[in-house]
Amino acid sequence: MFWKFDLHTTSHIDTLLEKEDVTLTEVMDEDDVLQECKAQNHKLVDFLLRPQCMEDLVTYITQEPSADVEEKVKYKYPNISCELLTSDVGQINDRLGEDENLLIKLYGFLQNEPPLNPLLASFFSKVLSILIGRKPEQIVEFLRKREDFVDLMIKHIGTSAIMDLLLRMLTCIEPQQLRQDVLNWLNEEKVIQRLVDMVQPSQDEDRHSNASQSLCEIIRLSRDQMFQVQGSSDPDPLLSTLEKQETVEQLLFNIFDKEKNESAIVSVIQILLTLFETRRPAFEGHMECPPGMSHPSFSVNHSILEAVRPRLKDFHQLLLEPPKANVMKTTWGVLDPPVGNTRLNVVRLVASLLQSNTHSINTELINLNTLGIILDMYFKYIWNNFLHIQVEICTAMILAMPPAPTDIQPDTEQENARESILIKHLFQKCQFIQRIVEAWSSNEKEQAEGGRRRGYMGHLTRIANSIVHNCDKGPNGPQIQQLISELPAEDREKWEAFISGQLSDTNKRNTVDLVSKHMDINTGVYIPFDRISDINFSLNTNESANIALFEARCKEKIQQFEDTGSDEEDIWDEKDVTFAPEAQRRPSSGSTDSEESTDSEEEDGKRDPFEASNPSTDDRMEVDTGWCTQDYYISTQRTCLYQLMSILSVKLLCLFSPPPPDCDGWLGTSVASPSSTSAKDCGRPKAEEETASCEQRSITETVINGSMKETVSLTVDAKTETAVFKRFAKRIHTENTTWLSVLND
């Protein structure tokens, strides 16, 4: 009885707004002001749309709060103002986007000197972002009139909220043509070149990070957009500028021809890694380029590789002499120097360069012995799994990818003569096989003395398995087999013993099933067993014996209910349900032609005006229920009853509608007969009976179901639009059985 209590909470804002001298701060002090604004409370929206209120809201998010205000409420009103302006109310968006004075006041926040207040910058970026999405034409036109807009954006790129605003301009502007105009405008303003200039040692780390992230996102967003809009004939000007050789050369110049700065180096490498991303999925679940797709954004631009190749020696030198890093103390020892972020990213860059499989790049890496240095780092820093996974990726690509086009000897035509210079370098100069066997033996010796298992052993196992796999089934298998056969006899024997012994045992341990023991039901002792795949299961697919057993059991079950010596038709035989006139009916068990009808109108001798022309035809419907056995009798009564009700409903539909020519044919019998269907004349003259249907009709059907006789009556009153359904069950005594089913409806 909740209606006895007034649980509806009314907003005080409506009452507050009735005051003539109400202020904006008083309204913002209300707890439900944001909910009421989003619900578009007209009084509140009209109040906020006042020129002074809109100006105050913009002021709150663009000006520093007074220093005298308590810290915990210092940003209360700026936060609420931002939420009100970004509540996505159409009237507020229209007023803010179309009032140039408000836009100028909002734009003035960018004209402050860096660093910007990060919280206010987030409020400013959020408001301007929703305007870009809701009023793109007006906002773009306004910003293009401001000559210093791009300069100010680059100036404040160290503030993350400003970087987000720049990226939103590239993604949230619709339609496509307007977006293309914005891209052309930003490219004319040299936004890419200005961002590149931010990534150099003279700038701080925030600018390095945000400028690098902006360039990476521009690359990804542009490529994704070009993938989604394949029919667009206009290339992305920002992506084209980024992929130019001079742009990449400028990035590399900033980090190598000036003082070494780890933040700048890592930022530039992140940009290069993004440029090397090939066939990047545009959406989750799409892993490769569609058939026939040859878009330049899905392959490494040759100009990028040409810009990087001369600088490979500088990257190689970074592996030998990284930027100075502090000594790192760990739980197991001291790292002096540690791997460092610079060297880790250089190894990632090498892995991306190897994936391009370019002959000139591969040759330069071999001449510098960069792969040898990377392997030295792998075995030195035994606990750095970030390094280990990158080295594993490098070796796996070298072993599995086919030789670069110019690696093929021009005078050789046979397929098995193709050789990879990287594999040859790895096995001969880097002594790949020997180092794996040596590291494995050294680890086992330390473990035998009580030491820890080295952290790279898992990756080393996978590297060794990769060699074995590619030797047998890889595209470079013949070359790998030849190189192994050319090893010194001692090294070759150690390798063969290693793969058949230690490596095989390790693989067996690593692939053991989770359930490694089973209990002997006789002794109760857990007995270990080998892999489940070694267990043989014998399944007998011959079902003839089972089928014969099933049929025999069914016959035994049915014989319990058979009447001994009865010549009547077997009621348990499987039959189809048939609906036929009396002339075509077969006698059913327990049924006679003299069965009573519960239709009272039939006893009065009245005939239905819609009955068939043959008065001798008995229209009673027979439902052969031989399939309803005693075991399932109760459970199938409801199904039988529903089938019967469906037929009765169709008959009544034919009775109350103008007589369709195919009703009799559809039902397999005449629509009405004296024995089954009758209609009340409602006291009307005979002439009225012939021209209009009566208001009440009933249909009665008798069903013989085993030893039960059921009579079902359905009466419909057309005047009151009601239907009455009645059922009668009568027990039938047979010679051997007497049973009555209780129906649960």
Side-chain angles (χ1 to χ4, degrees):
M1 295 183 295
F2 296 102
W3 54 85
K4 290 187 176 181
F5 308 96
D6 185 11
L7 299 179
H8 177 66
T9 57
T10 58
S11 174
H12 298 286
I13 290 182
D14 291 341
T15 305
L16 181 63
L17 292 174
E18 292 177 358
K19 294 171 54 178
E20 295 183 358
D21 56 346
V22 63
T23 63
L24 179 61
T25 55
E26 289 178 329
V27 173
M28 289 195 292
D29 285 335
E30 293 294 326
D31 294 335
D32 58 346
V33 61
L34 296 180
Q35 289 82 351
E36 291 295 320
C37 182
K38 292 178 180 179
Q40 301 192 19
N41 182 320
H42 348 216
K43 289 186 178 179
L44 177 59
V45 173
D46 292 343
F47 175 79
L48 295 176
L49 290 176
R50 294 177 182 177
Q52 187 59 45
C53 290
M54 291 295 295
E55 184 175 347
D56 291 344
L57 290 173
V58 174
T59 301
Y60 275 123
I61 66 173
T62 55
Q63 291 186 5
E64 289 281 350
S66 174
D68 300 335
V69 181
E70 189 178 356
E71 188 66 28
K72 64 179 182 180
V73 295
K74 190 174 184 179
Y75 293 99
K76 173 185 175 181
Y77 294 129
N79 180 50
I80 297 176
S81 298
C82 175
E83 294 299 323
L84 290 173
L85 291 174
T86 58
S87 58
D88 207 12
V89 177
Q91 298 96 312
I92 296 178
N93 293 338
D94 294 341
R95 178 63 58 85
L96 189 57
E98 296 172 1
D99 191 328
E100 189 167 353
N101 292 329
L102 292 176
L103 291 177
I104 292 175
K105 189 175 186 65
L106 183 66
Y107 180 80
F109 178 76
L110 282 177
Q111 297 174 334
N112 295 325
E113 289 298 319
L116 297 175
N117 183 312
L119 189 56
L120 292 182
S122 67
F123 296 154
F124 164 80
S125 176
K126 187 175 181 180
V127 172
L128 198 57
S129 295
I130 196 171
L131 290 178
I132 290 173
R134 296 294 182 267
K135 298 287 182 181
E137 293 84 0
Q138 294 91 328
I139 300 303
V140 169
E141 182 182 0
F142 172 81
L143 295 177
R144 295 188 68 169
K145 292 179 180 178
R146 301 296 177 274
E147 297 180 357
D148 59 346
F149 172 70
V150 176
D151 293 334
L152 293 175
M153 293 288 288
I154 300 300
K155 181 180 180 180
H156 297 299
I157 198 66
T159 304
S160 297
I162 304 303
M163 177 195 69
D164 294 338
L165 178 61
L166 176 62
L167 296 177
R168 190 161 299 266
M169 292 188 64
L170 304 177
T171 58
C172 295
I173 293 182
E174 294 292 342
Q176 178 63 28
Q177 185 56 48
L178 181 60
R179 180 180 180 276
Q180 189 67 31
D181 293 341
V182 171
L183 295 178
N184 292 331
W185 165 51
L186 293 176
N187 190 55
E188 292 171 359
E189 293 291 332
K190 300 187 180 301
V191 67
I192 297 298
Q193 291 86 337
R194 295 183 184 186
L195 287 172
V196 168
D197 290 339
M198 289 291 104
V199 189
Q200 54 180 320
S202 61
Q203 301 293 338
D204 57 52
E205 291 188 9
D206 289 338
R207 284 187 170 86
H208 293 163
S209 176
N210 289 345
S212 172
Q213 187 175 348
S214 298
L215 292 171
C216 291
E217 289 301 318
I218 289 174
I219 296 170
R220 294 191 179 105
L221 292 171
S222 299
R223 288 178 174 176
D224 289 349
Q225 184 70 17
M226 294 175 69
F227 177 83
Q228 295 170 3
V229 189
Q230 298 182 23
S232 177
S233 58
D234 298 328
D236 191 307
L238 298 183
L239 180 61
S240 300
T241 301
L242 258 171
E243 291 181 335
K244 287 182 178 179
Q245 184 171 341
E246 53 266 29
T247 303
V248 179
E249 289 175 348
Q250 182 63 42
L251 279 170
L252 297 173
F253 174 82
N254 291 343
I255 60 174
F256 287 130
D257 291 355
K258 299 179 181 180
E259 62 175 324
K260 291 182 180 178
N261 182 284
E262 184 173 62
S263 174
I265 293 172
V266 171
S267 297
V268 169
I269 293 177
Q270 291 298 323
I271 299 171
L272 294 177
L273 290 174
T274 307
L275 287 171
F276 288 144
E277 288 178 359
T278 57
R279 297 187 178 184
R280 180 177 182 271
F283 50 86
E284 184 178 358
H286 186 88
M287 297 307 298
E288 58 185 12
C289 188
M293 183 70 177
S294 58
H295 208 286
S297 65
F298 292 92
S299 59
V300 178
N301 196 309
H302 183 70
S303 61
I304 302 174
L305 295 173
E306 286 301 312
V308 172
R309 186 180 57 81
R311 293 289 185 172
L312 285 177
K313 62 181 185 299
D314 297 309
F315 284 113
H316 178 82
Q317 192 63 28
L318 285 176
L319 294 175
L320 300 175
E321 299 178 5
K324 184 64 177 176
N326 297 328
V327 176
M328 181 179 294
K329 295 181 180 181
T330 66
T331 55
W332 62 271
V334 177
L335 292 178
D336 186 19
V339 175
N341 203 13
T342 297
R343 291 200 286 182
L344 181 60
N345 278 275
V346 170
V347 176
R348 287 174 176 165
L349 179 62
V350 171
S352 294
L353 290 170
L354 289 173
Q355 188 179 7
S356 68
N357 199 17
T358 306
H359 177 70
S360 59
I361 298 293
N362 296 344
T363 303
E364 190 69 19
L365 291 174
I366 290 172
N367 294 336
L368 294 170
N369 192 29
T370 303
L371 296 177
I373 300 299
I374 291 176
L375 284 177
D376 291 341
M377 294 173 58
Y378 178 91
F379 292 109
K380 178 180 179 180
Y381 297 97
I382 62 177
W383 300 108
N384 194 318
N385 289 147
F386 296 103
L387 172 64
H388 301 158
I389 186 61
Q390 294 301 321
V391 176
E392 181 188 342
I393 292 173
C394 291
T395 57
M397 282 191 298
I398 292 173
L399 294 171
M401 66 185 180
T406 50
D407 287 346
I408 304 175
Q409 299 177 6
D411 57 343
T412 305
E413 298 180 357
Q414 297 182 354
E415 188 70 18
N416 57 7
R418 300 178 61 183
E419 291 187 353
S420 169
I421 59 175
L422 288 173
I423 293 178
K424 184 177 181 180
H425 172 74
L426 196 63
F427 279 76
Q428 293 182 349
K429 180 68 180 292
C430 299
Q431 296 186 331
F432 196 34
I433 296 293
Q434 294 91 330
R435 299 193 72 170
I436 292 176
V437 175
E438 181 184 353
W440 198 286
S441 300
S442 178
N443 174 75
E444 288 187 338
K445 182 179 179 181
E446 287 185 9
Q447 283 189 280
E449 295 173 355
R452 296 180 180 179
R453 184 173 185 264
R454 295 179 180 178
Y456 58 63
M457 290 303 296
H459 294 284
L460 194 65
T461 302
R462 291 166 51 157
I463 291 173
N465 285 327
S466 178
I467 296 175
V468 174
H469 173 77
N470 285 282
C471 181
D472 296 337
K473 302 178 181 179
N476 302 303
Q479 182 184 4
I480 296 175
Q481 295 174 9
Q482 179 67 25
L483 291 171
I484 292 177
S485 65
E486 294 175 357
L487 292 174
E490 182 181 358
D491 294 337
R492 187 172 62 255
E493 292 175 359
K494 288 182 178 180
W495 171 251
E496 292 174 352
F498 165 71
I499 61 176
S500 61
Q502 298 153 303
L503 182 61
S504 178
D505 294 341
T506 301
N507 291 334
K508 188 174 182 180
R509 288 195 304 269
N510 291 342
T511 56
V512 70
D513 296 298
L514 294 178
V515 181
S516 59
K517 295 181 180 181
H518 74 284
M519 178 185 287
D520 190 323
I521 60 176
N522 297 321
T523 63
V525 178
Y526 283 96
I527 302 174
F529 60 90
D530 291 334
R531 303 188 62 190
I532 292 178
S533 59
D534 297 333
I535 301 177
N536 294 324
F537 294 93
S538 178
L539 299 178
N540 184 8
T541 58
N542 186 8
E543 299 181 356
S544 58
N546 295 332
I547 295 174
L549 180 62
F550 175 76
E551 292 178 349
R553 183 57 182 163
C554 289
K555 290 180 180 179
E556 292 176 2
K557 187 71 174 176
I558 293 175
Q559 286 175 359
Q560 299 176 9
F561 307 102
E562 289 183 349
D563 293 339
T564 306
S566 176
D567 295 334
E568 296 180 355
E569 182 181 0
D570 187 2
I571 65 173
W572 306 108
D573 286 343
E574 184 173 325
K575 303 175 184 178
D576 296 332
V577 178
T578 58
F579 307 98
E582 179 67 18
Q584 301 176 0
R585 287 199 315 166
R586 293 172 298 168
S588 178
S589 175
S591 64
T592 64
D593 294 337
S594 60
E595 291 172 347
E596 296 179 356
S597 172
T598 58
D599 189 2
S600 61
E601 295 299 328
E602 184 180 350
E603 297 175 359
D604 296 338
K606 295 184 179 180
R607 296 176 57 86
D608 191 275
F610 295 99
E611 70 180 15
S613 59
N614 185 2
S616 65
T617 302
D618 189 353
D619 184 53
R620 287 182 298 177
M621 177 180 63
E622 176 189 4
V623 180
D624 193 341
T625 58
W627 50 271
C628 295
T629 65
Q630 180 180 355
D631 287 349
Y632 301 101
Y633 180 77
I634 295 177
S635 63
T636 57
Q637 287 299 308
R638 190 183 303 275
T639 303
C640 297
L641 181 60
Y642 289 164
Q643 292 175 349
L644 187 58
M645 290 177 63
S646 300
I647 299 300
L648 294 178
S649 301
V650 174
K651 282 192 173 185
L652 279 178
L653 178 62
C654 291
L655 288 175
F656 277 93
S657 304
D662 58 343
C663 274
D664 290 356
W666 190 91
L667 293 173
T669 181
S670 56
V671 177
S673 70
S675 63
S676 62
T677 307
S678 64
K680 296 182 179 181
D681 59 4
C682 308
R684 296 186 182 183
K686 185 174 182 180
E688 287 187 47
E689 293 183 27
E690 296 176 353
T691 57
S693 63
C694 292
E695 297 176 352
Q696 188 179 59
R697 294 188 181 277
S698 64
I699 292 180
T700 303
E701 296 293 344
T702 301
V703 181
I704 304 302
N705 200 347
S707 60
M708 292 292 296
K709 180 176 72 172
E710 289 188 29
T711 302
V712 183
S713 174
L714 182 63
T715 304
V716 178
D717 192 331
K719 184 175 182 180
T720 61
E721 297 182 355
T722 59
V724 179
F725 182 78
K726 297 180 181 180
R727 310 177 49 231
F728 305 93
K730 182 178 180 180
R731 182 173 55 188
I732 299 175
H733 295 271
T734 63
E735 296 179 1
N736 299 323
T737 7
T738 301
W739 44 284
L740 177 63
S741 172
V742 179
L743 303 178
N744 297 319
D745 293 332

